[in-house]
Amino acid sequence: MNEYVIGVDLGTSAVKVSAMNKAGEIVAQQSYDYPLSQPRPGYSEQAPQDWLYATTIAIDRLILRDGIAKEEIQGISFSGQMHGLVLLDENNQVLRPAILWNDTRTTKQCQEIMDKVGEEFIEITGNRPLEGFTLPKLLWVKENEPEIWAKAKTFLLPKDYVRYCMTGKLGMDYSDATGTVLLDIHQGTWSKALCEALDVPLSICPPLVKSVDLTGNVSAGYAMFSGLATTTKVFAGGGDNACGAVGAGILQPNMVMSSIGTSGVVLKYEENANVNYHGQLQFECHAIPDSYYSMGVTLAAGHSLNWFKGTFDSEEDFNQMVAKASERPLGANGLLFTPYVVGERAPYADADIRGSFIGVDSMQNHYDFVRAVMEGITFSFRDILNIYEQNGRDFDTVVAIGGGAKSDFWLQMQADIFNKKVVALTNEQGPGLGAAMIAAVGLGWFASLQDCAKEFVHFGKEYQPNSANVAKYDQLYGLYHQVYDQTKELSHGLLKFRREN
């Protein structure tokens, strides 16, 4: 009998499920979209039931359309969009739409956390309270929806909700738990001190598990619903960035991941918790047991390019658009773009900053703007890489995944702007591959995720920095780096005007 694991990648706009064999080969893959609700500026919500239905439909298609027998599916694990708040009542029923990672309504609550806890918050969690994190969302519900808060008995993150529906067992893995900023990273427990200071009942926090832990088998009810067998084992999984790092082979300190998806992530493996980025970067438990990672997030990386294309170039093929942009000169004929179109997280924790084009000139054409957007996204990643260098955290290799890894032009641009070797993967599958690897290790196919990576992760072409381009981009980056301070007050004023009018 064939044996497979399934990696469930629960993203912001769709779920993708991948069936993989013991050689790390994808034998079948299905995806299913679900809607995003933005009822007010800065709000971003989804119905948790939509994740469950989409995941179930995708798994059902693996069985019915791709011919994978349910008995062949040995294990399932998850990668999930991080930070999203799912509130459950005493019967574990959903109380309200989930508030997602890219929701920025909680600026007031973030300030309240610092007012009440101060720098001790960073000491406990390794992070500053940012709008995207889960704890500020809990406080927002407590303050703005008291009738919902009164009924809330526990909370989960997106993938944990789907896993609960599969198994009937509540839990949250450490990689996602650190992203709630309610976890004491030194003790490896929910922080009683934070809960008491912020009047959040400790009982609302779910049980903690490691990413590779078995959380149960597929329940009889879900087996009937999905077509899976009750013999299939379900493992905890991890946050999408942790799983993306596993799937990209970021398992040693000399490597950094550059991920361009809807948001952008620069992520570095950390061997222990004895680092301090003073809250500039997020610090999280890894999906690898007893290890960590740090990361900086650009809120609108691929989203900036998708926004530009959808607004100004909706009919043109995406690859053709990028190819024509590559023909424009480095620096886009003097045009700079800052990708703050939905606010920013790192290095500027600023929900109200907005993007800009600087240097617009009548000689520029459409593809100068496209190139400027791509360069601006990549400059925003360099902002994050600079924090590592300023803190003496050495690395020599950048592993690129996501949309930025699908273009030779963009890969070389990253090498030139970062002045580092950039490498892509030949079998790049993002967080879903990491989720499948977690299931494979949980089943005992491999002794560790590092051992699994030797079989599942394959590095491809290397891109070395071009010294002439490095010098030009250094000059251009010096100008880019000034834009935030020069435009912050104006940007905030314009957003205030929009909200009031």
Side-chain angles (χ1 to χ4, degrees), residues 323-385:
K324 289 182 179 179
S326 72
E327 298 170 359
R328 305 306 295 167
L330 185 154
N333 279 311
L335 184 64
L336 276 176
F337 171 75
T338 57
Y340 313 139
V341 295
V342 293
E344 191 53 296
R345 184 176 294 178
Y348 313 112
D350 188 342
D352 288 346
I353 191 66
R354 287 299 179 265
S356 60
F357 284 102
I358 305 292
V360 178
D361 189 299
S362 62
M363 68 164 289
Q364 294 153 352
N365 72 18
H366 176 82
Y367 299 104
D368 288 309
F369 281 80
V370 176
R371 177 160 188 149
V373 171
M374 297 174 71
E375 289 178 340
I377 293 166
T378 313
F379 283 142
S380 74
F381 279 38
R382 178 166 169 176
D383 274 343
I384 299 167
L385 292 173

Side-chain angles (χ1 to χ4, degrees), residues 218-277:
V218 169
S219 69
Y222 189 72
M224 184 179 298
F225 185 40
S226 64
L228 289 168
T230 56
T231 54
T232 298
K233 298 182 183 300
V234 183
F235 300 91
D240 54 8
N241 291 308
C243 289
V246 169
I250 308 297
L251 307 172
Q252 47 192 333
N254 73 307
M255 303 177 79
V256 168
M257 182 182 77
S258 162
S259 173
I260 299 177
T262 303
S263 62
V265 172
V266 174
L267 181 151
K268 186 179 186 301
Y269 177 88
E270 306 281 1
E271 293 179 290
N272 55 59
N274 298 324
V275 296
N276 187 355
Y277 295 109

Side-chain angles (χ1 to χ4, degrees), residues 4-5 29 37 60 62 83 89 102 126-127 143 161 181 195 200 208 273 281 340 359 366:
Y4 304 116
V5 290
Q29 199 167 61
S37 173
D60 188 60
L62 283 181
H83 312 313
D89 66 13
N102 55 352
N127 294 283
E143 295 170 19
Y161 173 74
V181 291
C195 285
V200 174
L208 291 165
L281 300 177
Y340 313 139
H366 176 82

Side-chain angles (χ1 to χ4, degrees), residues 115-127:
D115 290 344
K116 291 181 178 179
V117 186
E119 293 298 309
E120 185 184 359
F121 185 87
I122 300 171
E123 293 297 320
I124 293 172
T125 68
N127 294 283

Side-chain angles (χ1 to χ4, degrees), residues 209-217 232-236 442-443:
V209 293
K210 293 181 179 180
S211 292
V212 296
D213 281 352
L214 175 67
T215 57
N217 283 30
T232 298
K233 298 182 183 300
V234 183
F235 300 91
L443 286 167

Side-chain angles (χ1 to χ4, degrees), residues 264-330:
V265 172
V266 174
L267 181 151
K268 186 179 186 301
Y269 177 88
E270 306 281 1
E271 293 179 290
N272 55 59
N274 298 324
V275 296
N276 187 355
Y277 295 109
H278 310 287
Q280 281 190 291
L281 300 177
Q282 293 171 229
F283 191 80
E284 315 276 356
C285 292
H286 210 319
I288 305 165
D290 304 315
S291 62
Y292 306 85
Y293 69 90
S294 55
M295 70 175 186
V297 176
T298 292
L299 285 181
H303 178 65
S304 292
L305 194 57
N306 288 334
W307 159 77
F308 183 87
K309 183 181 185 304
T311 304
F312 302 107
D313 201 9
S314 59
E315 299 302 318
E316 186 170 16
D317 176 77
F318 189 90
N319 292 329
Q320 183 181 31
M321 182 184 77
V322 171
K324 289 182 179 179
S326 72
E327 298 170 359
R328 305 306 295 167
L330 185 154

Side-chain angles (χ1 to χ4, degrees), residues 57-122:
I57 290 168
I59 290 173
D60 188 60
R61 287 177 177 176
L62 283 181
I63 296 170
L64 296 178
R65 295 186 181 182
D66 295 308
I68 295 179
K70 62 182 181 180
E71 296 81 10
E72 297 175 332
I73 301 171
Q74 302 296 298
I76 295 176
S77 192
F78 303 83
S79 158
Q81 50 167 300
M82 298 176 68
H83 312 313
L85 174 63
V86 183
L87 277 174
L88 304 181
D89 66 13
E90 61 183 358
N91 298 312
N92 294 328
Q93 298 299 304
V94 174
L95 284 167
R96 70 174 321 284
I99 306 176
L100 301 191
W101 61 273
N102 55 352
D103 188 291
T104 58
R105 75 183 74 177
T106 57
T107 301
K108 175 176 176 285
Q109 287 71 36
C110 291
Q111 187 58 53
E112 287 174 2
I113 292 170
M114 290 306 294
D115 290 344
K116 291 181 178 179
V117 186
E119 293 298 309
E120 185 184 359
F121 185 87
I122 300 171

